[in-house]
Amino acid sequence: MRILHAIKTGALLAYTALVGAVLPGATGLAWAEAVKPVSSTALYSVWRVSGKELSAKTRKDFTVAVERCWNTAALSDEAVNVTMVIGLTIGPDRKPVADSLRLVEAKGGSEAAVQQAYEAARKAILLCGRRGFPLPAEKYEAWRELELVFAASGATQ
Amino acid sequence: MSRLRYLLSAALAAATLGAVTGAPLQAEPLRIELGTPVVEPMPFALPRFVDEGGAGDMAAEISGVIAADLAGTGLFEQIPQNAYIQNITSFDAAVSYPDWQAINAQALITGAVQGGGGQVAVKFCLHDVFANGTLGECLQFAGDKGSWRRVAHKVADAVYSRITGESGYFDSRVVFVSEAGPKNQRQKRLAVMDYDGANTSYLTDSASIVLAPRFSPSGDRILFTSYSSGFPQIYVMDVGSLSVRGLGEQPGTMTFAPRFSPDGQTVVFSLERGGNTDIYSLNINGGGLQQLTNSPAIETAPSFSPDGSQIVFESDRSGNQQIYVMSAGGGEARRVSGGAGRYGTPVWSPRGDYIAFTKQNAGRFHIGVMLVDGSEEKLLTASYIDEGPTWAPNGRVIMFARQEPGGDPMLYSVDVTGRNLKRIPTQGAASDPAWSPLLP
């Protein structure tokens, strides 16, 4: 049996180990993987979609700007089917405040699937928001706090 | 004036409502719906792993295998190394996330390799570039130097699993029939390779024709059909010792198309007696022969459901080949295939959600999948001959044999969505692939 390590910030942490020797040329390999618990984030509720002061065109432009970075190719079928609401704050520079992103609600999948789906959605917001979203400065109070409903209905190739 | 009166009235009404409810009148965040994600490979960066001593070229080779595993899924796309801004020269060096964000790397894999004393150890971190941190804990895998490709596959499996939420399939092997020689004197022998076509080794010689190898659930045994006695009989091979013994030998019968039960204790197979073929089961130790079907039709290609409770098989009891499902103990079967054409070689997905099959219709062969009740049939491929699907351990990829007119059979894989069709490199012609479980 060989010692295996979980490493974090350069320090060795606890780990588990298994030994496998089952096929020709595959003897003597040992491996381990630290198991990280997934936080409890699955919340269920009925949602309300509101439409306040932003024009339809602004909302559409914003939607397209986020969707083009919302990539579900690497997600499991279960994660793709998760529907979730992510809350965030957008700064006056029209860029998302990274620390403000939070999962408000989610339904339609296991905790692991929600976690995967959340990561993809969060990445979309941060990636496509890094140069600022197309939002009108004069309506900052309308878009400063947003809740984005991610509900994949028609993934495009 | 009337507008002012309206605004004042509205303000008064709002204030009254606030007083009644006792709640502050805070604006709720604006909600915006998004419904159309893109489906395209996720860009990732994988700088060559750092050699921390004794690794030499192995550091680059391991990096290359990890990158090839991930990119080979079609779900990820490697950013060329000449686009990298930060040069990673130490595993412990701080990662400059803005440098990786600038080249649109959505995932970054950094690592180091130690290669002293006949051993290889690989430590790595998966970074969420836009969260400025690692995605999960950094890990280390270790093994004999000769197993360096397995160590690389383990790393790739861990990365794949963390990003997709599904188990990986890179550290697995495929047993298949290696073919050589002219078609009227074909030599066939069992071979085993890494899932990506590397590390081929041969398990039998070419003295007799072999067919349809199948891994046991633990990967330590292989069932197959051989003509070594002059007619088809099933055998079981111990992979470690390569020792072979016959199974269920019945005088005057032919046995073929064997497959293990999920617990590895039972074998289902076809037995031909007096011109009639039915499905039987047998204890792996050779006892407990049980007939599961009883029909004048040809019944063959049985495959267990992952929970072991059901068997899917093909039969021409309706007049042409179709797919049926019955209890693992036998009894009445229900037909699940319903489209035009002939269906064969059904295989239950390890996830239990789909049945993969070969379909022949209108002069073309297809590999397809359907839900276990036969609904939502999807044809993933079309060719002159496509046949013999086998599932990757995670149920997301299917490998099969393809033959073009006048050509030799070759192995291909395709994603269960129908994307990412690609040929698996083999040394010469190859058919009848069977995927192993994920290795321990």
Side-chain angles (χ1 to χ4, degrees):
Chain A
M1 184 174 293
R2 210 160 264 91
I3 296 177
L4 303 170
H5 310 276
I7 303 166
K8 189 174 188 182
T9 59
L12 300 180
L13 299 179
Y15 58 84
T16 57
L18 296 172
V19 174
V22 293
L23 291 174
T27 57
L29 179 69
W31 65 282
E33 182 170 359
V35 177
K36 183 171 183 259
V38 179
S39 61
S40 178
T41 52
L43 304 171
Y44 298 87
S45 70
V46 176
W47 297 331
R48 178 179 60 79
V49 177
S50 65
K52 295 198 292 192
E53 295 97 341
L54 295 185
S55 70
K57 180 179 185 309
T58 298
R59 293 166 64 94
K60 179 66 177 173
D61 290 347
F62 176 85
T63 300
V64 169
V66 179
E67 285 179 339
R68 65 188 171 84
C69 291
W70 180 25
N71 187 358
T72 58
L75 297 184
S76 65
D77 291 346
E78 186 186 13
V80 169
N81 288 325
V82 168
T83 304
M84 66 174 63
V85 180
I86 294 179
L88 75 154
T89 302
I90 299 181
D93 58 359
R94 302 184 180 87
K95 296 178 182 176
V97 178
D99 293 344
S100 73
L101 267 65
R102 63 203 177 276
L103 181 61
V104 178
E105 299 170 5
K107 65 177 182 181
S110 64
E111 290 186 1
V114 169
Q115 186 70 31
Q116 302 298 328
Y118 175 71
E119 292 299 332
R122 187 181 59 82
K123 200 168 289 178
I125 295 167
L126 295 176
L127 181 61
C128 271
R130 61 185 161 161
R131 293 187 179 86
F133 289 117
L135 293 164
E138 69 277 12
K139 294 190 174 180
Y140 177 56
E141 284 307 312
W143 49 258
R144 182 168 61 88
E145 294 294 333
L146 291 180
E147 289 187 346
L148 306 185
V149 182
F150 289 84
S153 56
T156 56
Q157 183 72 48
Chain B
M1 184 64 186
S2 60
R3 176 172 171 75
L4 177 62
R5 187 177 297 127
Y6 168 78
L7 290 174
L8 287 172
S9 301
L12 179 62
T16 304
L17 180 63
V20 169
T21 61
L25 282 177
Q26 259 182 348
E28 287 187 14
L30 176 63
R31 280 198 169 181
I32 296 177
E33 280 197 336
L34 300 94
T36 312
V38 296
V39 179
E40 54 192 28
M42 174 192 288
F44 71 94
L46 197 155
R48 192 175 114 164
F49 282 12
V50 176
D51 179 2
E52 289 192 339
D57 293 341
M58 196 178 289
E61 289 171 335
I62 286 173
S63 308
V65 168
I66 298 167
D69 282 347
L70 295 172
T73 64
L75 305 178
F76 307 95
E77 179 179 52
Q78 187 180 17
I79 298 171
Q81 298 201 354
N82 59 12
Y84 299 170
I85 299 168
Q86 184 182 15
N87 184 22
I88 303 281
T89 55
S90 164
F91 181 70
D92 298 322
V95 171
S96 175
Y97 290 108
D99 287 351
W100 301 100
Q101 292 169 7
I103 62 170
N104 196 31
Q106 295 184 28
L108 166 67
I109 302 143
T110 59
V113 182
Q114 295 174 341
Q119 304 293 304
V120 59
V122 180
K123 54 187 178 181
F124 71 99
C125 299
L126 171 61
H127 301 266
D128 185 340
V129 171
F130 288 90
N132 296 335
T134 58
L135 186 58
E137 293 179 329
C138 302
L139 296 173
Q140 176 166 301
F141 296 106
D144 299 336
K145 268 190 175 174
S147 302
W148 69 267
R149 291 191 96 258
R150 282 202 62 197
V151 175
H153 289 320
K154 287 285 185 204
V155 174
D157 276 330
V159 170
Y160 176 96
S161 181
R162 283 189 184 168
I163 294 177
T164 67
E166 299 184 326
S167 62
Y169 59 91
F170 308 125
D171 187 29
S172 62
R173 307 206 80 190
V174 173
V175 61
F176 62 100
V177 175
S178 173
E179 302 187 19
K183 292 194 173 173
N184 58 353
Q185 287 183 308
R186 205 64 158 172
Q187 296 177 333
K188 296 187 176 188
R189 53 183 175 158
L190 296 185
V192 65
M193 63 182 185
D194 292 358
Y195 94 99
D196 56 3
N199 276 341
T200 298
S201 57
Y202 296 94
L203 305 177
T204 63
D205 59 26
S206 52
S208 53
I209 288 177
V210 289
L211 298 169
R214 306 285 180 247
F215 269 111
S216 66
S218 54
D220 58 349
R221 289 163 295 169
I222 292 172
L223 288 167
F224 64 102
T225 304
S226 171
Y227 281 75
S228 59
S229 65
F231 50 89
Q233 288 288 336
I234 59 174
Y235 296 83
V236 60
M237 171 186 287
D238 180 274
V239 176
S241 65
L242 301 186
S243 62
V244 172
R245 64 181 169 89
L247 263 184
E249 292 152 323
Q250 302 273 322
T253 68
M254 294 188 290
T255 53
F256 52 95
R259 201 179 285 270
F260 279 100
S261 61
D263 65 4
Q265 297 304 306
T266 303
V267 176
V268 285
F269 60 99
S270 289
L271 185 148
E272 187 273 346
R273 190 195 307 267
N276 186 37
T277 301
D278 277 304
I279 293 174
Y280 288 71
S281 67
L282 184 70
N283 187 292
I284 186 64
N285 295 321
L289 182 70
Q290 183 182 358
Q291 184 170 356
L292 302 182
T293 65
N294 187 3
S295 157
I298 296 174
E299 327 247 69
T300 187
S303 168
F304 276 97
S305 60
D307 66 1
S309 67
Q310 298 178 85
I311 292 172
V312 63
F313 63 100
E314 69 173 69
S315 170
D316 62 358
R317 61 176 70 177
S318 69
N320 68 347
Q321 278 174 274
Q322 296 293 334
I323 296 175
Y324 294 80
V325 172
M326 66 177 174
S327 165
E332 193 167 341
R334 68 180 188 281
R335 178 173 158 177
V336 295
S337 58
R342 293 190 289 172
Y343 295 77
T345 64
V347 193
W348 217 300
S349 158
R351 289 153 59 136
D353 50 357
Y354 284 113
I355 292 169
F357 56 84
T358 301
K359 179 172 182 172
Q360 186 182 8
N361 187 38
R364 302 281 280 173
F365 278 74
H366 308 270
I367 300 298
V369 294
M370 61 174 71
L371 294 180
V372 296
D373 63 0
S375 64
E376 298 193 26
E377 176 182 313
K378 285 190 294 188
L379 299 182
L380 308 179
T381 73
S383 158
Y384 178 64
I385 297 177
D386 282 349
E387 61 182 357
T390 179
W391 289 96
N394 70 350
R396 187 148 182 167
V397 180
I398 292 170
M399 193 178 292
F400 61 97
R402 165 170 289 186
Q403 187 170 1
E404 300 292 357
D408 283 326
M410 298 291 174
L411 302 185
Y412 282 74
S413 68
V414 65
D415 194 274
V416 71
T417 61
R419 300 190 190 100
N420 201 34
L421 175 70
K422 62 179 184 180
R423 185 178 159 198
I424 307 299
T426 54
Q427 298 168 9
S431 59
D432 260 344
W435 220 310
S436 81
L438 205 57
L439 301 181

